[in-house]
Every structure is written in C-alpha cells, then in structure tokens.
C-alpha cells in the first residue's frame, strides 16, 4: 500500500545527479514488490487541449516508468517483456496500438520563449520504440523504448514523487480514475492532501476533452463519481471533493485525499489480491454472501466413497498446526503483542515492521497508538491480516506525522 518512501530514500548509492525521486525509485526496485515511484513532474504534466491517453496506454506508461526504475532519467534504452503488458490477452496487436498512441500524444508545460515571454511548450514522452517481430506468430518477445529529452528532464528535476501500487494501477477501469489516483498519491506524499483546481485545469490534468461532459452534472456522474468509487476500493486512500460555485456554475473543485486506517487498508489489500471479475459487484455490495456453517454439507461431494470436504478440513488443520510448530509451538501473528515489542517471535516481527515502515518513530509508541485505535477489533485479527494491518498502520502513522 502507501509506502513511506522517505525511508528508502537514503539506501544505496545512486549517482548524485539523480533527483530524489529516482533514488527512491531505485530503492523500491531493489526491495521488489508492487510499489514504484512516479516522478511528480510527470504526474503534473498536462495534456494538450483535445488529447489524452486511453486507459491501456496510461497503464503501459506506468509499467514503463516502473520498469525503468531509477534509470528513467538517463539517456538509454529500457526494455520489457510483451507478456508483462498483455495481462492474459493472447495477441500482441494491442501493444502496437498502445505504443503508437504514446508516440503521438502531446503534453504541455508552461515555459518561456527565446525572448523571455510566457510560452506553452508541447512535447512527447516517448522518443523511439522497438518491438520484436516474432516468427510464426509466437506470443513472446520484448519491446524497447527511449524517453525523450523533455521527459528525462522532467524526471531528473522531480524532487517529489507519487508512490503507487502496480496492482492498483492495473486494476483501474477508468483512465480518469487512474489519473486522479496519481494526483492523490503525489499530494499525500507531499503531506498536502488538498488539491484545488479550476475546471480548465481539471480537464487538462485528467485529459477530459473540452467538448465532452459540457454539463457539470454529466462530468460529476461519468468522471468524478466513477473515479471516487474505484479509488476508494483500490487505493491506499479515499477521495472526497467540494464544488465551488459562482452563481449556479461550478468554477473550481477542491479534492481532499485521506489515508485509510488499518482495517480499511486490510480490505484494500484483500481486494487487490482477488480476481478483478466481480470487483464492481463487490464495490456495489451486490455479491451474494455465503454463510459459513460448522455443520456438514447436505450433499458433500465424495470421490471413491471419500468425503472431500472432510479431507480438505483435515489438511487445512494440519497446515495450521505445521505453521505453529515451525514458530516454536506459538503461531506467529496469533495476536498482537500486549507489551513492548522486544521478546518473542511475533514481537520481533512486529518490531521489524515498525522500524522499517514507521519512519523513525519509536516503535512502542506506534504500537500503543495502534492498540488504542483498533480497540476491540484487534482481538478479531490474526495471521496475515494482522500483519498487514500493523504494516498499514505504521505507514499511515508516518504519512500523517512525517519524520520525528
């Protein structure tokens, strides 16, 4: 989820000419996992009027930044397997369309002309790309690409960054939701969780065509409401907005991004690990719920006279007891420690997470705040969910308070 990337900023010895965002990107790449850093200047660059990226092209650009990691600012080529892009699609034809879309999409930033006058600079992000042409229509191969000098300059100048989750990026079904997610991740890292923007700026940032959704009620329903629903479900934060009006017309929007508490972060992690099919139904709470029962099923399936459900139950119990035995007879993360995080397997594991993700705060102080916040709910958590809840709390604690 939301990693306190400042804690990885000082790891390793990246070249001094690399901006802070690139040092963080390199550190996150070394750690592995789904988190990656997108430079703030790339998040804030706006689309040229009338242009935007489709959802698939936006995802590809995110994967390119993730793959390039701490070397994204350098004048070099980067490469990625086609299979990492397709995500289950059998053909490579969509990759061609996404690459060509990235090549032709223009971005803009404020600049000055040769006379020192205010000017708008327009540029691309991808300079060149290579796609391997496979014989016999094989579903393998690689793509290579180079970022343009303008893109590398923006990356190198970025001292701020958005820490994003790869699974969340690939999980969005709305390009507007993905862009708003990037804006929120960037501002939460800056500890400036409010984004106030006029309607022209909002359209430029999210890539909304000037002639599309001219009625704000449509924009609210088709863009903002959809984006909020997806972000609240998949991101490590939630988003709200306030409409600022002049008369009856909406002239500005004030977005507020709020880090999720520990239980909500657990639900988000669980959702990201589930298949995307049925995600909208789960979000709308229209999924039929199965009520567990200890009583045997009326028609439990059998194979050669063997009760399959009973066998599965025994195997599960054996695995649980095996886990407990491997931790010295005490199940790791059976409950959250009640005292100081010093002695014992769970205590040591909890302390390690607190040191790693707590941003330098006293781990016992973070633990005490966690116990107070969770209250009786803490007794209902164990195992992986408890571990992820504690990690999410440490991250949120640091995000709210900054360094001690």
């Amino acid at each position: 989820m939301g990693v306190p990337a400042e804690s990885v900023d000082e790891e390793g010895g990246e070249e001094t000419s690399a901006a802070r965002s690139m040092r963080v990107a390199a550190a996150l790449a070394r750690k592995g996992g789904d988190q990656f850093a997108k430079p703030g200047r790339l998040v804030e660059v706006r689309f040229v009027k009338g242009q935007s990226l489709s959802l698939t092209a936006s995802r590809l650009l995110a994967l390119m930044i993730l793959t390039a990691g701490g070397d994204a600012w350098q004048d070099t080529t980067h490469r990625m397997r086609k299979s990492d892009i397709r995500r289950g699609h059998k053909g490579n034809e969509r990759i061609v369309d996404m690459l060509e879309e990235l090549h032709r999409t223009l971005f803009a930033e404020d600049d000055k002309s040769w006379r020192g006058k205010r000017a708008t600079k327009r540029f691309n992000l991808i300079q060149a790309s290579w796609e391997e042409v496979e014989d016999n229509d094989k579903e393998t191969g690689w793509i290579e690409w180079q970022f343009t000098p303008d893109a590398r300059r923006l990356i190198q100048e970025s001292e701020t960054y958005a820490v994003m989750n790869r699974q969340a990026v690939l999980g969005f079904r709305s390009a507007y939701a993905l862009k708003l997610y990037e804006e929120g991740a960037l501002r939460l890292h800056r500890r400036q969780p409010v984004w106030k923007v006029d309607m022209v700026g909002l359209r430029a940032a999210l890539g909304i065509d000037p002639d599309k959704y001219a009625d704000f009620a449509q924009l609210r329903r088709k863009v903002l409401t959809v984006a909020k629903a997806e972000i609240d479900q998949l991101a490590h934060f939630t988003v709200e907005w306030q409409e600022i009006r002049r008369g009856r017309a909406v002239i500005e929007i004030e977005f507020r991004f709020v880090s999720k508490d520990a239980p909500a972060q657990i639900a988000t992690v669980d959702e990201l690990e589930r298949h995307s099919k049925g995600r909208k139904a789960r979000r709308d709470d229209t999924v039929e719920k199965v009520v567990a029962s200890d009583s045997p099923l009326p028609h439990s399936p059998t194979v050669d006279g063997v009760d399959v459900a009973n066998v599965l139950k025994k195997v599960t119990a054996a695995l649980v007891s095996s886990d407990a035995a491997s931790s010295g007879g005490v199940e790791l993360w059976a409950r959250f420690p009640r005292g100081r995080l010093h002695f014992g397997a769970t205590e040591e594991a909890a302390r390690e997470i607190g040191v790693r993700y707590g941003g330098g705060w006293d781990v016992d102080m973070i633990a005490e705040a966690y116990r107070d916040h969770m209250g009786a709910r803490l007794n209902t958590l164990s195992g992986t969910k408890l571990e992820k809840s504690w990690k999410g709390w440490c991250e949120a604690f640091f995000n709210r308070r900054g360094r001690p």
Side-chain angles (χ1 to χ4, degrees):
M1 302 308 297
V3 173
E6 294 88 339
S7 61
V8 299
D9 186 21
E10 298 170 358
E11 296 184 14
E14 297 298 311
E15 299 180 35
T16 55
S17 55
R20 187 180 182 212
S21 62
M22 289 294 93
R23 298 197 299 273
V24 171
L28 289 173
R30 288 194 297 271
K31 286 180 176 293
D34 286 329
Q35 277 73 36
F36 67 99
K38 182 170 183 177
R41 294 290 301 276
L42 282 187
V43 173
E44 295 185 313
V45 68
R46 64 182 188 271
F47 292 102
V48 166
K49 185 176 181 180
Q51 293 200 25
S52 63
L53 287 176
S54 66
L55 176 62
T56 53
S58 297
R59 286 176 180 162
L60 177 56
L61 179 59
L63 291 176
M64 287 176 162
I65 293 169
L66 183 156
T67 302
D71 295 328
W73 65 281
Q74 298 193 29
D75 185 8
T76 185
T77 57
H78 312 279
R79 58 189 60 88
M80 175 170 33
R81 292 182 183 273
K82 291 182 181 179
S83 58
D84 292 334
I85 305 171
R86 289 198 305 266
R87 297 189 73 229
H89 294 283
K90 294 183 178 180
N92 291 325
E93 65 278 355
R94 298 181 67 190
I95 296 177
V96 177
D97 295 337
M98 288 186 278
L99 282 173
E100 292 182 354
E101 183 178 348
L102 285 175
H103 275 290
R104 65 175 178 264
T105 301
L106 287 174
F107 296 82
E109 66 172 344
D110 295 329
D111 203 351
K112 289 189 177 181
S113 70
W114 63 277
R115 297 193 303 160
K117 302 289 188 180
R118 286 194 309 163
T120 299
K121 183 175 184 177
R122 297 174 179 84
F123 53 91
N124 302 94
L125 295 182
I126 305 300
Q127 175 173 297
S129 65
W130 297 261
E131 181 207 6
E132 289 185 345
V133 180
E134 299 297 325
D135 297 328
N136 301 322
D137 195 30
K138 293 180 180 178
E139 303 304 331
T140 59
W142 294 69
I143 65 165
E144 294 180 89
W145 71 93
Q146 285 180 327
F147 290 115
T148 63
D150 286 301
R152 297 198 306 272
R153 172 182 53 81
L154 290 177
I155 292 170
Q156 190 173 4
E157 291 175 354
S158 294
E159 290 298 323
T160 60
Y161 49 87
V163 176
M164 305 194 301
N165 184 286
R166 179 181 182 272
Q167 291 300 104
V169 168
L170 297 178
F172 286 115
R173 292 295 178 265
S174 163
Y176 304 133
L178 177 53
K179 281 298 298 177
L180 190 58
Y181 167 71
E182 294 179 355
E183 296 282 355
L186 175 64
R187 282 161 176 79
L188 274 180
H189 169 256
R190 289 175 175 172
R191 299 185 188 86
Q192 298 173 344
V194 176
W195 178 35
K196 192 174 182 178
V197 59
D198 62 27
M199 298 309 299
V200 174
L202 178 66
R203 288 179 177 274
L206 301 188
I208 307 172
D209 191 288
D211 299 325
K212 199 171 184 180
Y213 309 134
D215 182 7
F216 183 80
Q218 287 184 317
L219 188 145
R220 183 197 297 117
R221 185 174 66 255
K222 299 288 188 179
V223 176
L224 300 183
T225 302
V226 172
K228 172 180 168 55
E230 291 199 27
I231 289 172
D232 288 357
Q233 185 181 31
L234 301 178
H236 57 281
F237 57 87
T238 60
V239 59
E240 302 288 345
W241 75 85
Q242 180 181 355
E243 299 161 11
I244 302 171
R245 298 175 179 270
R246 179 180 296 159
R248 298 180 62 183
V250 176
I251 58 171
E252 287 183 318
I253 299 287
E254 183 175 287
F255 293 97
R256 181 173 294 276
F257 307 98
V258 181
S259 295
K260 291 179 178 177
D261 60 15
Q265 290 218 23
I266 295 172
T268 300
V269 170
D270 288 345
E271 181 59 46
L272 291 174
E273 292 176 349
R274 300 175 74 177
H275 196 281
S276 59
K277 186 175 182 180
R279 182 162 286 161
K280 186 177 186 302
R282 292 192 293 272
R283 183 167 65 238
D284 298 338
D285 198 24
T286 57
V287 179
E288 292 186 4
K289 295 179 175 60
V290 178
V291 179
S293 174
D294 292 333
S295 59
L297 296 175
H299 303 290
S300 180
T302 61
V303 177
D304 295 333
V306 178
D307 188 332
V308 176
N310 189 42
V311 171
L312 288 175
K313 186 175 181 179
K314 290 181 178 179
V315 170
T316 302
L319 290 174
V320 171
S321 62
S322 175
D323 288 342
S326 66
S327 60
V330 178
E331 184 183 353
L332 190 63
W333 297 108
R335 62 172 180 80
F336 192 76
R338 294 193 176 92
R340 301 185 67 189
L341 306 183
H342 288 284
F343 304 107
T346 302
E347 284 80 358
E348 290 296 329
R351 183 171 186 80
E352 181 181 348
I353 289 175
V355 170
R356 184 173 180 180
Y357 297 103
W361 288 91
D362 180 78
V363 178
D364 288 316
M365 182 178 74
I366 301 177
E368 190 61 34
Y370 177 59
R371 297 186 192 99
D372 291 342
H373 176 78
M374 294 293 290
R377 291 177 296 177
L378 196 55
N379 298 325
T380 66
L381 293 180
S382 62
T384 302
K385 286 193 175 183
L386 175 58
E387 181 183 5
K388 290 180 178 179
S389 170
W390 167 238
K391 177 185 172 184
W393 173 261
C394 293
E395 294 170 351
F397 189 94
F398 173 66
N399 285 336
R400 286 195 301 270
R401 300 197 179 196
R403 287 196 177 277

